[in-house]
């Protein structure tokens, strides 16, 4: 193992003899970890004992290991730092897997430490044994089984380095119990180099020049940015680029906040539930600049339909395998998005040529015409609360400055459509895996990272029940989260698909026997509110957010049959949207597939 | 199209399963896969025979490069290369077959490495297609058993895959 690491001796600090468990603590200290989200058990008892004796980081005891990983994940999304979770072997480890897979799909840097049965018991079907390295292999950036306490420190260093660099992702470090008791010399390498892992940083200058030239010649340009822009902290550079060029910008679900939503050049989110103007501009542009986005199936719809119109595509991504995966691109640029976009800005600053103003004016006129369809409009009702209305008011009451986490379903799409994110790292959701149950633990991660910030968890009555036990964690750690439950008594997104594509056969999508959410919140020691009248929406939100030190569980009883529009049915092209005022469902019916 | 991909990876436990898992998870074909340590015992060299359109092969190479344990990847089909595979075939060798099996083996430059009362074991090296041709030249009923190593490959001349 040592042969692959090059460290000159000077990079070591002075050494000490410590147990494996103590070494793990010291590694976490060296990495300036603030929070470890975890849950104890047999295999990690030595680690928890060492944890008891330290006070540099805070341990957040969750009520389910899945929530530990989600909370660490949200901490990372909100701060840009590596999230850390600690779980025991066997069931603790498998409970963590959904959280790990969720982080993996959205490229979130995590280090997950899992306990393992003692080395000698591995492979014996020992009590609480599971092959964690095998189970997580397909959903981690990398994983390690530590076989010698002397390897612990370097393995931890590698784990943090791999998680955070290149295209980020979760790394699992599986530590057998005996290793945590063994004594070894502790020395934390300051830097690490791995011959097998060398992420690209700077983009190819020739390609960047070519890209800038193409952008300057574009007649119908479009900028499309994704989660990679947010994770790469390149939003300021992108705003500068878009402003210099005057081009329209769209963000993916993962990329919201990458470009300020209230800016006139912003045309809204694109994709399955994107705006009419964003999807049409995407479809009809002649030069497309994609930044930290991956042309996934929910974003470009049917790739053949997308490619049926000729356009030149420039694609900037830190991960070469994201380029030309689903859609062939013309100018690939592999590199850290921040450095590449900054280099484009420098080239533009030195360049006198500007895009063809006339062409751009015509293109904007076309976009404004699409915009005038106002597909985001919805009809307010005087008796029933519309879910869109709740999110709009949430945006107003929080002055657009809250951390908004969401679960998965219709409420997620409404939150994405109606909360206008002006800053990156404010919109925290599971875009890739689409994991119901992330909302509340995500809110915990955000609130811990930013104790004074407003944190709202937009959720559905299906999703919130998937990690409802975390209300107890919120009480223990005094997390004044505001839960915005859009309660439509349905697994709404499932119901919508059943309405459109399965002839209204609502198979198992009704949520029966819901708890009294107010009493439930109160029994956990929180404040509960029922809101049933449209005219009470705004006032109740003000009231809730005024309770700065309390978690408020707001149960908004909303329209049961409201649907998310626009919608690009599965397998259709981006410009083949169903809009809210058209029934449209029939046209899409034959294409339906879950 | 068939491609032969060579790669060098850290000789770590589980490295092989990462590669095999990648191919199954992403639905790529594997015709054969061989792996063994190199003269530098920290490195293993793997040869994968796969097939797919150019786009698929490009993705395979990128995905392999992305594996943290993989040090270097080379698509041998990008240049000139030599491909070799070893096959052991046990054939019936009774009566007139004894002569005939020897003759066919000679034609393909095989070697009889084990002789028993009713059978020969023939060792044959060559490209995959040569081994296929040998099997085709034999009557199915005389083949008792075959075992193939899967292809290994190396670039011609100055093409070197090394850290
Ligand atoms: C863990 C998990 N199971 C199942 C699904 C499939 N699914 C997607 S949306 C949805 C309905 C969500 O219902 P709810 O939380 O009430 O939100 P709504 O759509 O009503 O806003 C389901 C079941 C999922 N995304 N995640």
């Amino acid at each position: 193992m040592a042969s692959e690491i090059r460290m000159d001796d000077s990079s070591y600090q002075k050494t000490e003899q410590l147990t494996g468990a103590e070494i793990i603590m010291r590694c976490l200290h060296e990495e300036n970890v603030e929070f470890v989200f975890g849950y104890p058990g047999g295999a990690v008892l030595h680690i928890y004992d060492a944890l008891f004796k330290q006070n540099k980081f805070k341990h957040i005891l969750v009520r389910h290991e899945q929530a530990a990983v989600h909370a660490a994940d949200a901490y990372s999304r909100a701060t840009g730092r590596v999230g850390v979770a600690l779980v025991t072997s066997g069931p603790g480890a498998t409970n963590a897997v959904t959280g790990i897979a969720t982080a993996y799909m959205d490229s979130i840097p995590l280090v997950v430490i899992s306990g393992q049965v003692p080395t000698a018991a591995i492979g014996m079907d020992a009590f609480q044994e599971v092959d964690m390295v095998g189970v997580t292999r397909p959903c981690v950036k990398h994983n390690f089984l530590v076989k010698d306490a002397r390897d612990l420190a370097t393995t931890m260093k590698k784990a943090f380095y791999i998680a955070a660099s290149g295209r980020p992702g979760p790394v699992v470090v599986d530590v057998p119990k005996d290793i945590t008791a063994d004594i070894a010399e502790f020395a934390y390498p300051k830097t690490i180099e791995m011959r097998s892992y060398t992420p690209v940083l700077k983009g190819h200058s020739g390609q960047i020049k070519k890209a800038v030239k193409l952008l300057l010649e574009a007649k119908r340009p479009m900028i499309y940015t994704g989660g990679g822009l947010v994770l790469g902290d390149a939003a300021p550079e992108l705003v500068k680029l878009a402003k210099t060029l005057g081009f329209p910008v769209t963000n993916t679900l993962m990329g919201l906040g990458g470009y300020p939503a209230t800016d006139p050049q912003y045309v809204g989110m694109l994709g399955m539930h994107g705006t009419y103007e964003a999807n049409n501009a995407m479809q009809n542009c002649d030069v497309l600049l994609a930044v930290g986005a991956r042309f996934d199936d929910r974003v470009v719809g049917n790739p053949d339909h997308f490619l049926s119109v000729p356009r030149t595509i420039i694609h900037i991504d830190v991960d070469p395998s994201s380029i030309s995966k689903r859609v062939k691109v013309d100018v690939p640029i592999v590199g850290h998005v921040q450095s590449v976009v900054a280099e484009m800005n420098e080239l533009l600053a030195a360049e006198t040529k500007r895009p063809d103003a006339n062409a751009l004016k015509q293109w904007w006129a076309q976009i404004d015409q699409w915009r005038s369809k106002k597909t985001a409009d919805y009809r307010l009702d005087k008796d029933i609360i519309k879910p869109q209305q709740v999110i709009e008011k949430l945006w107003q009451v929080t002055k657009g400055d809250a951390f908004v986490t969401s679960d998965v379903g219709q409420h997620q799409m409404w939150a994405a459509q109606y909360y206008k994110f002006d800053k990156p790292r404010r919109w925290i959701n599971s875009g890739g895996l689409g994991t119901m149950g992330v909302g509340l633990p995500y809110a915990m991660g955000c609130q811990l990272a930013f104790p004074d910030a407003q944190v709202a968890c937009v959720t559905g009555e299906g999703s919130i029940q998937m990690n409802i036990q975390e209300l107890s964690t919120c009480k223990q750690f005094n997390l004044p989260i505001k839960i915005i439950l859009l309660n439509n008594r349905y697994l709404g997104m499932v119901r919508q698909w059943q309405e459109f594509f399965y002839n209204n056969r609502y198979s198992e999508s009704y949520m029966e026997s819901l708890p009294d959410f107010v009493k439930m919140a109160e029994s956990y020691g929180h404040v509960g509110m029922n809101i049933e009248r449209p005219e009470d929406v705004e006032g109740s939100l003000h009231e809730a957010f005024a309770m700065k030190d309390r978690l408020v569980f707001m149960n908004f009883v909303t329209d049961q049959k409201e649907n998310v529009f626009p919608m690009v049915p599965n397998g259709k092209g981006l410009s083949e949207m169903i809009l809210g005022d058209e029934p449209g469902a029939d046209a899409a019916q034959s294409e339906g597939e879950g | 199209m068939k491609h032969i991909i060579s790669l060098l990876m850290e000789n770590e436990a589980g490295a092989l399963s990462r590669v095999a898992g990648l191919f199954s998870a992403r639905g790529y074909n594997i015709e054969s896969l061989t792996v063994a340590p190199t003269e530098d015992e920290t490195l293993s060299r793997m040869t994968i025979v796969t097939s797919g359109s150019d786009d698929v092969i490009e993705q395979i190479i990128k995905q392999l490069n992305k594996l943290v344990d993989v040090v270097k990847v080379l698509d041998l089909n990008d240049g000139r290369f030599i491909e070799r595979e070893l096959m052991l075939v046990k054939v019936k060798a009774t009566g007139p077959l004894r002569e005939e099996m020897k003759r066919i083996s000679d034609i393909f430059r095989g070697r009889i490495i084990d002789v028993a009362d009713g059978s020969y074991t023939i060792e044959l090296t060559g490209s995959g297609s040569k081994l296929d041709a040998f099997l085709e030249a034999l009557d199915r009923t005389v083949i008792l058993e075959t075992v193939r190593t899967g292809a290994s490959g190396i670039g011609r001349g100055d093409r070197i895959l090394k850290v």
Side-chain angles (χ1 to χ4, degrees):
Chain A
M1 193 165 195
S3 64
E4 74 182 59
I5 310 148
R6 272 179 283 140
M7 289 175 299
D8 49 87
D9 289 337
S10 65
S11 75
Y12 276 102
Q13 293 132 356
K14 71 173 173 28
T15 60
E16 299 164 70
Q17 300 289 319
L18 299 176
T19 66
E22 289 164 344
I23 290 177
I24 293 173
M25 294 306 112
R26 293 290 291 277
C27 295
L28 297 174
H29 295 165
E30 292 287 339
E31 293 293 337
N32 294 315
V33 170
E34 254 188 303
F35 297 106
V36 170
F37 300 86
Y39 208 93
V44 287
L45 281 173
H46 296 319
I47 301 180
Y48 271 88
D49 194 49
L51 188 149
F52 187 83
K53 299 176 193 153
Q54 67 82 46
N55 56 11
K56 287 216 171 106
F57 63 79
K58 190 163 179 183
H59 180 270
I60 305 298
L61 178 68
V62 293
R63 302 303 188 255
H64 187 298
E65 289 88 350
Q66 183 191 345
V69 183
H70 288 328
D73 164 342
Y75 170 83
S76 173
R77 290 180 201 239
T79 61
R81 308 190 53 204
V82 177
V84 181
L86 169 61
V87 297
T88 191
S89 68
T94 52
N95 271 352
V97 172
T98 300
I100 295 168
T102 302
Y104 178 70
M105 287 297 278
D106 291 343
S107 308
I108 305 303
L110 296 183
V111 170
V112 178
I113 302 164
S114 53
Q116 182 53 278
V117 300
T119 317
I122 290 179
M124 298 293 167
D125 298 321
F127 177 63
Q128 297 196 325
E129 177 181 4
V130 72
D131 172 13
M132 186 59 168
V133 165
V135 167
T136 57
R137 189 179 304 118
C139 59
V140 290
K141 183 165 173 190
H142 198 59
N143 57 21
F144 297 95
L145 170 64
V146 182
K147 292 194 185 128
D148 189 326
R150 286 170 299 185
D151 295 336
L152 252 179
T154 4
T155 305
M156 289 291 287
K157 179 77 197 179
K158 281 189 192 174
F160 276 89
Y161 169 58
I162 293 170
S165 55
R167 178 176 181 173
V171 177
V172 167
V173 182
D174 199 33
V175 192
K177 188 170 185 181
D178 54 320
I179 304 289
T180 62
D182 285 353
I183 295 199
E185 201 169 79
F186 173 68
Y188 202 64
K190 280 214 181 74
T191 56
I192 202 150
E193 259 185 59
M194 297 169 69
R195 65 179 174 189
S196 64
Y197 176 73
T198 46
V200 188
L201 297 174
K202 262 182 66 73
H204 187 281
S205 312
Q207 292 288 87
I208 297 176
K209 274 203 190 93
K210 203 159 137 193
V212 168
K213 186 163 174 280
L214 282 165
L215 289 173
L216 288 171
E217 284 163 6
K219 307 270 184 246
R220 299 187 311 281
M222 180 73 177
I223 301 177
Y224 142 64
T225 83
L229 183 86
V230 175
L231 295 175
D233 291 316
E237 285 77 8
L238 193 274
V239 170
K240 189 169 171 205
L241 181 81
K243 287 282 155 201
T244 312
L245 294 168
F247 289 178
V249 186
T250 180
N251 292 162
T252 67
L253 178 69
M254 288 308 298
L256 296 182
Y259 192 84
T262 51
D263 186 276
Q265 274 168 249
Y266 186 63
V267 296
M269 179 172 82
L270 84 166
M272 181 173 271
H273 295 296
T275 66
Y276 190 71
E277 51 272 31
N279 283 349
N280 271 307
M282 186 78 178
Q283 183 71 18
N284 293 292
C285 65
D286 69 341
V287 175
L288 178 64
L289 173 65
V291 189
R294 58 190 178 93
F295 294 89
D296 85 88
D297 48 329
R298 298 261 153 147
V299 164
V300 289
N302 182 339
D304 296 331
H305 181 274
F306 182 65
L307 291 172
S308 65
V309 189
R311 70 175 85 59
T312 306
I313 304 178
I314 303 159
H315 190 177
I316 310 172
D317 206 289
V318 73
D319 175 9
S321 75
S322 279
I323 294 179
S324 292
K325 184 167 65 179
R326 288 191 82 244
V327 165
K328 198 114 193 111
V329 308
D330 305 281
V331 185
I333 305 174
V334 178
H336 195 282
V337 289
Q338 193 186 45
S339 101
V340 175
V341 180
E343 207 172 319
M344 289 179 139
N345 283 328
E346 281 165 29
L347 288 177
L348 279 172
E351 167 75 63
T352 46
K353 186 173 168 181
R354 282 297 171 257
D356 177 343
N358 249 331
L360 209 51
K361 207 171 136 202
Q362 274 177 35
W363 177 229
W364 271 113
Q366 169 70 71
I367 291 171
D368 286 338
Q369 195 195 322
W370 287 321
R371 251 183 191 160
S372 67
K373 248 191 142 64
K374 294 198 181 299
T375 52
D377 282 4
Y378 62 94
R379 280 181 217 105
L380 275 173
D381 190 286
K382 65 176 181 14
D383 292 317
I384 306 174
I385 298 177
K386 290 287 180 179
Q388 299 94 325
Q389 174 194 2
V390 179
I391 307 295
E392 260 181 4
K393 291 293 167 203
L394 174 68
W395 175 65
Q396 286 165 9
V397 168
T398 57
K399 304 203 163 49
D401 203 28
F403 286 85
V404 179
T405 76
S406 99
D407 268 300
V408 174
Q410 291 182 313
H411 61 272
Q412 175 190 24
M413 294 303 135
W414 286 316
Q417 290 174 331
Y418 294 92
Y419 200 99
K420 299 189 179 64
F421 294 93
D422 282 333
K423 294 179 192 163
R425 299 192 179 278
R426 289 301 173 105
W427 164 239
I428 316 282
N429 87 129
S430 163
L433 199 64
T435 309
M436 287 170 68
V438 295
L440 183 51
Y442 272 3
M444 290 162 30
C446 295
Q447 193 77 74
L448 282 160
F450 298 98
D452 300 326
Q454 298 175 316
V455 178
C457 162
V458 176
T459 184
E461 73 296 335
S463 295
I464 191 69
Q465 292 188 82
M466 284 208 179
N467 267 320
I468 194 83
Q469 75 288 344
E470 296 308 315
L471 285 175
S472 171
T473 313
C474 294
K475 183 66 192 168
Q476 182 180 347
F477 295 94
N478 293 318
L479 304 178
I481 293 160
K482 305 297 177 270
I483 294 173
I484 313 294
L485 169 58
L486 302 180
N487 186 348
N488 53 8
R489 282 83 72 215
Y490 272 108
L491 299 175
M493 192 54 101
V494 173
R495 191 205 56 73
Q496 175 169 347
W497 284 54
Q498 289 171 337
E499 178 188 331
F500 286 10
F501 311 123
Y502 296 90
N503 218 346
N504 302 308
R505 289 186 298 279
Y506 296 146
S507 178
E508 307 296 322
S509 54
Y510 187 70
M511 280 268 103
E512 302 249 8
S513 312
L514 288 173
D516 177 331
F517 285 110
V518 171
K519 278 195 195 148
M520 185 200 66
E522 286 169 357
S523 80
Y524 276 105
H526 301 304
V527 179
M529 280 175 152
N530 265 329
I531 305 97
E532 293 175 16
R533 302 283 315 160
E535 63 272 20
D536 295 339
V537 169
E538 184 168 356
S540 64
L541 282 166
H542 277 296
E543 197 184 326
F545 278 94
M547 288 184 248
K548 294 218 179 300
D549 53 354
R550 297 301 298 273
L551 183 148
V552 184
F553 194 115
M554 308 185 75
N555 179 36
F556 289 92
V557 181
T558 59
D559 189 348
Q560 284 195 283
K561 295 283 173 77
E562 189 68 28
N563 287 321
V564 181
F565 290 115
M567 177 173 186
V568 179
N570 245 8
K572 289 280 179 182
L574 267 185
S575 53
E576 301 176 308
M577 280 160 279
I578 313 173
L579 302 178
D581 46 5
E582 301 164 1
D586 294 342
Q589 206 142 2
S590 55
E591 304 293 327
E593 48 165 299
Chain B
M1 198 186 126
K2 190 174 117 176
H3 280 246
I4 302 188
I5 296 170
S6 275
L7 57 96
L8 287 171
M9 58 201 295
E10 298 294 351
N11 193 0
E12 297 264 357
L16 171 62
S17 58
R18 290 185 208 278
V19 174
L22 169 70
F23 274 74
S24 64
R26 295 195 181 261
Y28 305 142
N29 295 319
I30 298 188
E31 253 171 54
S32 73
L33 185 159
T34 68
V35 60
T38 63
E39 78 285 1
D40 171 352
E41 78 236 12
T42 66
L43 284 174
S44 291
R45 172 139 176 175
M46 188 181 277
T47 311
I48 304 165
V49 180
T50 183
S51 58
S53 63
D54 289 353
D55 290 350
V56 170
I57 300 292
E58 186 185 326
Q59 264 299 313
I60 291 177
I61 305 274
K62 286 176 171 176
Q63 293 291 348
L64 285 170
N65 267 312
K66 212 162 112 175
L67 291 175
V68 168
D69 283 336
V70 170
V71 185
K72 266 193 178 162
V73 183
L74 179 68
D75 182 353
L76 286 174
N77 291 63
D78 282 348
R80 300 194 312 132
F81 67 98
I82 302 164
E83 172 199 349
R84 285 291 179 275
E85 182 174 359
L86 171 73
M87 174 166 72
L88 303 176
V89 193
K90 193 169 291 188
V91 293
K92 258 191 220 158
T94 47
L97 278 177
R98 268 186 114 69
E99 238 337 277
E100 190 182 339
M101 287 304 122
K102 167 116 183 45
R103 200 171 48 81
I104 299 182
S105 164
D106 286 345
I107 292 172
F108 281 85
R109 292 182 211 278
R111 290 202 304 146
I112 296 173
I113 54 171
D114 186 46
V115 177
D117 279 352
S119 70
Y120 287 151
T121 299
I122 302 169
E123 174 194 309
L124 199 70
T125 355
S127 66
S129 51
K130 173 180 163 186
L131 305 190
D132 293 343
F134 178 70
L135 291 176
E136 257 157 50
L138 296 175
D139 188 307
R140 291 248 138 197
T141 58
V142 308
I143 303 176
L144 299 173
E145 189 180 347
T146 61
V147 51
R148 297 171 69 150
T149 56
S152 290
I154 196 163
R156 279 191 185 273
D158 293 342
R159 270 187 104 200
I160 289 167
L161 177 63
K162 213 173 159 69
V163 177

